[in-house]
Amino acid sequence: MSIISYAQERNCSDFKTGQFKYVDERLKEIITRTDSMQIEINPDNQAEIHTTIEWVSECEYVLTYTKIINWPENVSDVIGRKIYCTIMETKGNWVKVYTKGVSADGPVELIKIDNQ
């Protein structure tokens, strides 16, 4: 008798770098991620969010705000603050990440649109 596992496979290393967009179409930012940094740019107003990225395990990372450009209001108080992220699930070019931090507490879904 064999036991079938339904545990979700997580190919976290596939999502460490590259270009991404949110599945939620209300979030228009394009995310570009390297080994050590992430930049989100909104194509409508050119607002940019710059963060460093520190991988603490294969599927967990911490984003730290370093710079915000062209934001409609003053958000200087978030510089230096962190967002804790855990990759929960992956499938092909899709990833679900649980985020907890200044402006986030819950899952977000991203699509990888470019390999880097």
Side-chain angles (χ1 to χ4, degrees):
M1 180 176 186
S2 66
I3 298 173
I4 299 172
S5 172
Y6 291 99
Q8 187 63 27
E9 188 173 331
R10 295 186 298 169
N11 296 317
C12 300
S13 61
D14 293 348
F15 297 92
K16 286 192 172 185
T17 61
Q19 199 166 47
F20 306 87
K21 68 178 183 176
Y22 290 98
V23 171
D24 183 343
E25 293 180 1
R26 295 171 295 172
L27 303 171
K28 298 183 184 231
E29 289 79 9
I30 300 296
I31 301 165
T32 302
R33 183 183 294 165
T34 68
D35 289 332
S36 60
M37 55 150 273
Q38 176 172 298
I39 300 172
E40 291 189 46
I41 299 177
N42 183 310
D44 292 344
N45 63 10
Q46 298 305 305
E48 297 182 19
I49 301 171
H50 294 247
T51 56
T52 59
I53 186 167
E54 175 191 357
W55 287 89
V56 294
S57 73
E58 183 65 22
C59 295
E60 295 177 291
Y61 57 96
V62 179
L63 297 172
T64 304
Y65 290 100
T66 58
K67 178 170 53 172
I68 298 176
I69 301 169
N70 297 329
W71 203 259
E73 60 258 359
N74 182 4
V75 289
S76 59
D77 60 324
V78 302
I79 302 302
R81 301 196 57 192
K82 299 180 183 308
I83 301 174
Y84 299 89
C85 306
T86 302
I87 295 175
M88 301 168 57
E89 193 176 339
T90 67
K91 185 176 184 181
N93 66 342
W94 172 88
V95 62
K96 182 188 275 187
V97 181
Y98 186 85
T99 61
K100 184 161 181 65
V102 178
S103 60
D105 188 0
V108 296
E109 297 178 44
L110 303 169
I111 299 290
K112 189 170 187 178
I113 55 176
D114 180 14
N115 292 318
Q116 285 188 355

